Amino acid sequence: MATTTADEPTRRDFIYIATGAAGAVGLGLLAWPLIDQMNPSAAVLALSSVEFDLSPVQAGQQVTVMWRGKPVFVRHRTPKEIAEARAVPVSSLPDQLARNANLPDSAPATDQDRMFKPEWLIMIGICTHLGCIPLDHEGDYGGYLCPCHGSQYDTAGRIRKGPAPENMYIPPYSYLSPTKIKIG
Amino acid sequence: MAGQSTYVPTTGFTRWLDARLPILRLANDTIITYPTPRNLNFWYSFGGILSFMLGIQIVTGIVLAMHYVPAANMAFDSVENIMRDVNYGWLLRYMHSNGASFFFLAVYIHIFRGLYYGSYKSPREVLWILGVIIYVLMIATAFLGYTLPWGQMSFWAATVITNLFTSIDQILPGVGTAIAHWLWGGFAVGDPTLNRFFSLHYLLPFVIAGVVVLHIWALHVPGNNNPLGIDVRGPQDTVPFHPYYTVKDLFYLCLFVILYAIVVFYLPNALVEPDNYVPANPLVTPPEIVPEWYLLPFYAMLRSIPQKLIGVIVLFGALAILLFVPWLDTSRVRSMRFRPLAKQFFWALVVDCLLLGYLGAHRPDAVFPGTGIPMLPFARLGTAYYFAYFLLILPLLGLLETPRPLPLTIATSVTGTGVEQVNAPAE
């Protein structure tokens, strides 16, 4: 091949490169279904939202609701817990974002931005470190203590101490009536 | 020692076969006549033991898969069915679950043997790297297998380990979570996760077997290292693999299997977390999540770091660093028998790994019983020493340490003539 000049591309070079490129694209097209099949399926994505009646939950109590395979904490906070959480300046928090799906991403982690009504903390009960379920009414801040690696959260579910990088997440939810919420 | 083949087919059939597929020649050259240093000791028998354990795990695993159901609502019950109703199911499952422990026990001895005798040094770097790859595949396989009974520890181990990937969110927001969802096939560990973990748990042992073939191939090109760490200089330094090492390996294999059998028959749950006999509950994390004993040192490292991403980097770094050991150790002397300082640091590393294993079984805020001394500083110190051994001590010692004089040949050292005769043929 190319006996006359060394650097002049020939028709054979072109065919060689074009075949190789078509093969690479074909491999990529074949690989994607093999990779994407592992992503959440249509059935999983179609999981409906959950409704929950708040009225039986007493002040100082917490119940857990399942939503999309995840536990959602519904915590009826006492006036003391509300006051403690509101007294914390945002600048002293390790994660200063509200992590609230109902607000813009840049919302600050004030207690007000973590919930719609001060008595009701509705939060995905998964530690942002490695996904364990924290224990409620535990730890130095009276909020949550993760048993796995010792992360501590306050009564608004904001990370205060330990390896977790972020506040626990607030799921999208809305009030259907003063005592009923819909998560998702 | 990949020398000339000495195989001579003696019958008509073997001559016919040898000209078409020299498989008997391969077997003869690798397990019969393979010239092996004559001074290999007890610590060199673990390669054979590991091959045996891989075989045990594959055979028991294939039959367990005939009864196991990889579905979230049936997995736990199907394991109980194996334990109670399937003929000899209890034996097969206990052999498999404890087999993993003994597999790791053997591999740790094998790895530390390699570190002590400098078996990773030139010309055996590729051999060592293949070994590290096997070890990482073993960890992945063991983790996947641990999730299958779908007990509390299974479920939460799956949750914690897959969540390690969400730490990527701290450098590439959203990417880590996307990877986690991809691994789970949902928004949390669940049915799709269990199903694919079973598929991969069945696959990986055969991948391991393939890399083992490469590992043995890479062993047979330069030949075995030996406790003296000096090169084989000629036939007087070696003996044929069979019968010398086949018998020696079998003897130690018998001792090892006796130990294994004692655990399988008399202490089958000694190494298991009792919480794994509680069915998986996505709403309740057990008071304490710990991995199986063989991963505790890495868990201690993870838990000793207060920052998520750095903790994960340290965890994977502790494994990745092993790949570079052949180039981090600058000493030209292989065996630590002749390295008075390196030997002490080596034993400190062994103690360090045992200490990390002990600390990994306890909560990060725990104190040593009866003393009130917190464990966390020791976990951090232990983690620091592990990395210092590979990144500082091995590179520096090669330059600073004065090794003791090496014997001239394996033969003179073994026969103990006292006179270091230079009768080896010139290379």
Side-chain angles (χ1 to χ4, degrees):
Chain A
M1 185 188 84
T3 48
T4 46
T5 54
D7 37 22
E8 184 81 5
T10 63
R11 285 156 59 102
R12 187 168 293 184
D13 288 337
F14 173 78
I15 290 172
Y16 182 68
I17 291 165
T19 311
V25 170
L27 269 181
L29 288 173
L30 181 66
W32 179 243
L34 294 174
I35 295 166
D36 191 43
Q37 53 83 22
M38 278 176 66
N39 272 317
S41 70
V44 172
L45 291 173
L47 273 181
S48 58
S49 51
V50 185
E51 291 182 14
F52 182 73
D53 182 10
L54 298 173
S55 52
V57 185
Q58 301 299 310
Q61 218 182 11
Q62 172 177 300
V63 291
T64 306
V65 185
M66 283 299 271
W67 171 69
R68 283 184 152 187
K70 298 177 185 188
V72 173
F73 290 163
V74 177
R75 177 166 174 155
H76 193 165
R77 302 196 300 171
T78 62
K80 177 171 169 286
E81 289 171 347
I82 297 170
E84 278 172 11
R86 305 227 146 168
V88 181
V90 171
S91 59
S92 70
L93 295 168
D95 179 15
Q96 302 186 358
L97 294 174
R99 309 287 174 191
N100 186 337
N102 307 290
L103 295 175
D105 286 348
S106 58
T110 58
D111 191 60
Q112 286 83 347
D113 277 352
R114 296 277 295 163
M115 60 211 71
F116 291 125
K117 298 182 181 178
E119 299 84 29
W120 294 101
L121 174 65
I122 318 288
M123 177 175 75
I124 296 175
I126 294 180
C127 179
T128 57
H129 183 222
L130 293 174
C132 299
I133 313 293
L135 307 168
D136 59 290
H137 298 91
E138 294 271 358
D140 297 350
Y141 304 94
Y144 299 88
L145 168 69
C146 184
C148 293
H149 306 90
S151 291
Q152 304 205 20
Y153 299 84
D154 64 14
T155 53
R158 296 173 297 194
I159 181 65
R160 299 294 290 274
K161 197 168 137 186
E166 290 157 7
N167 302 325
M168 282 193 270
Y169 280 68
I170 308 294
Y173 71 98
S174 55
Y175 281 89
L176 301 175
S177 76
T179 59
K180 196 164 192 185
I181 57 165
K182 179 181 159 206
I183 305 166
Chain B
M1 272 174 288
Q4 295 294 312
S5 175
T6 56
Y7 176 68
V8 181
T10 49
T11 69
F13 171 72
T14 51
R15 273 192 295 275
W16 178 86
L17 184 64
D18 195 52
R20 286 154 181 81
L21 179 71
I23 191 168
L24 294 175
R25 178 180 298 276
L26 180 71
N28 176 78
D29 294 348
T30 49
I31 57 175
I32 310 262
T33 60
Y34 170 62
T36 317
R38 55 197 286 179
N39 59 336
L40 300 190
N41 58 19
F42 159 74
W43 304 104
Y44 282 78
S45 56
F46 284 88
I49 288 171
L50 284 162
S51 308
F52 175 81
M53 289 312 299
L54 179 62
I56 287 279
Q57 291 304 85
I58 288 178
V59 170
T60 55
I62 286 171
V63 292
L64 285 171
M66 295 178 184
H67 305 279
Y68 171 77
V69 184
N73 58 349
M74 291 180 72
F76 188 89
D77 291 347
S78 77
V79 172
E80 286 308 303
N81 177 58
I82 289 170
M83 295 299 292
R84 293 155 196 244
D85 296 342
V86 173
N87 298 330
Y88 293 102
W90 59 272
L91 174 64
L92 295 165
R93 176 166 178 256
Y94 279 153
M95 281 176 73
H96 196 72
S97 59
N98 288 297
S101 279
F102 278 82
F103 204 162
F104 274 96
L105 175 68
V107 91
Y108 282 132
I109 296 172
H110 194 64
I111 291 171
F112 278 112
R113 194 285 323 272
L115 285 172
Y116 187 83
Y117 292 124
S119 302
Y120 46 82
K121 290 186 194 179
S122 173
R124 297 183 183 84
E125 301 95 323
V126 172
L127 171 63
W128 172 263
I129 288 169
L130 288 167
V132 175
I133 291 170
I134 293 170
Y135 174 51
V136 172
L137 287 170
M138 280 175 63
I139 292 175
T141 311
F143 158 69
L144 293 169
Y146 191 52
T147 65
L148 300 184
W150 216 237
Q152 273 291 65
M153 280 295 165
S154 299
F155 183 90
W156 291 101
T159 299
V160 167
I161 299 299
T162 50
N163 264 300
L164 292 176
F165 291 95
T166 61
S167 63
I168 299 170
D169 280 345
Q170 289 178 285
I171 30 176
L172 299 166
V175 173
T177 305
I179 292 174
H181 288 175
W182 178 71
L183 289 170
W184 294 333
F187 301 102
V189 171
D191 214 19
T193 324
L194 175 60
N195 221 316
R196 64 192 53 180
F197 277 15
F198 177 63
S199 169
L200 295 173
H201 181 69
Y202 206 117
L203 165 72
L204 286 187
F206 298 99
V207 177
I208 292 176
V211 186
V212 166
V213 170
L214 297 180
H215 190 63
I216 295 172
W217 188 5
L219 167 71
H220 284 228
V221 173
N224 283 72
N225 185 30
N226 63 82
L228 295 173
I230 56 177
D231 289 332
V232 165
R233 286 173 181 268
Q236 74 282 7
D237 288 345
T238 65
V239 288
F241 189 77
H242 178 75
Y244 293 95
Y245 287 111
T246 44
V247 170
K248 187 164 180 162
D249 280 0
L250 272 175
F251 173 72
Y252 287 122
L253 176 64
C254 288
L255 297 187
F256 188 83
V257 169
I258 288 171
L259 197 64
Y260 174 40
I262 289 172
V263 173
V264 166
F265 287 103
Y266 296 101
L267 302 158
N269 287 309
L271 301 168
V272 179
E273 286 296 318
D275 270 345
N276 220 24
Y277 282 102
V278 177
N281 181 353
L283 291 182
V284 180
T285 306
E288 194 171 2
I289 301 182
V290 287
E292 295 283 82
W293 67 267
Y294 40 79
L295 299 178
L296 285 173
F298 299 108
Y299 200 56
M301 293 185 196
L302 173 72
R303 296 213 278 193
S304 73
I305 309 285
Q307 207 275 348
K308 179 172 170 179
L309 181 63
I310 296 173
V312 173
I313 290 171
V314 164
L315 177 72
F316 287 107
L319 289 170
I321 203 168
L322 295 174
L323 293 170
F324 302 99
V325 171
W327 296 277
L328 289 170
D329 186 348
T330 50
S331 173
R332 277 183 291 175
V333 175
R334 291 200 191 98
S335 174
M336 290 202 182
R337 276 196 189 172
F338 306 103
R339 301 184 61 191
L341 287 175
K343 188 191 280 184
Q344 293 171 35
F345 286 110
F346 168 85
W347 286 111
L349 179 72
V350 174
V351 172
D352 182 51
C353 289
L354 294 173
L355 173 74
L356 283 172
Y358 173 80
L359 298 175
H362 295 81
R363 291 165 73 131
D365 53 358
V367 294
F368 286 103
T371 59
I373 302 170
M375 289 186 181
L376 189 59
F378 288 89
R380 289 186 178 155
L381 205 65
T383 306
Y385 182 77
Y386 180 90
F387 283 92
Y389 179 83
F390 295 111
L391 293 175
L392 290 175
I393 296 169
L394 280 186
L396 289 179
L397 268 190
L399 309 173
L400 302 176
E401 182 184 41
T402 311
R404 289 171 37 213
L406 297 174
L408 273 180
T409 69
I410 294 171
T412 51
S413 174
V414 170
T415 51
T417 53
V419 185
E420 306 259 303
Q421 293 169 301
V422 190
N423 57 359
E427 279 180 288

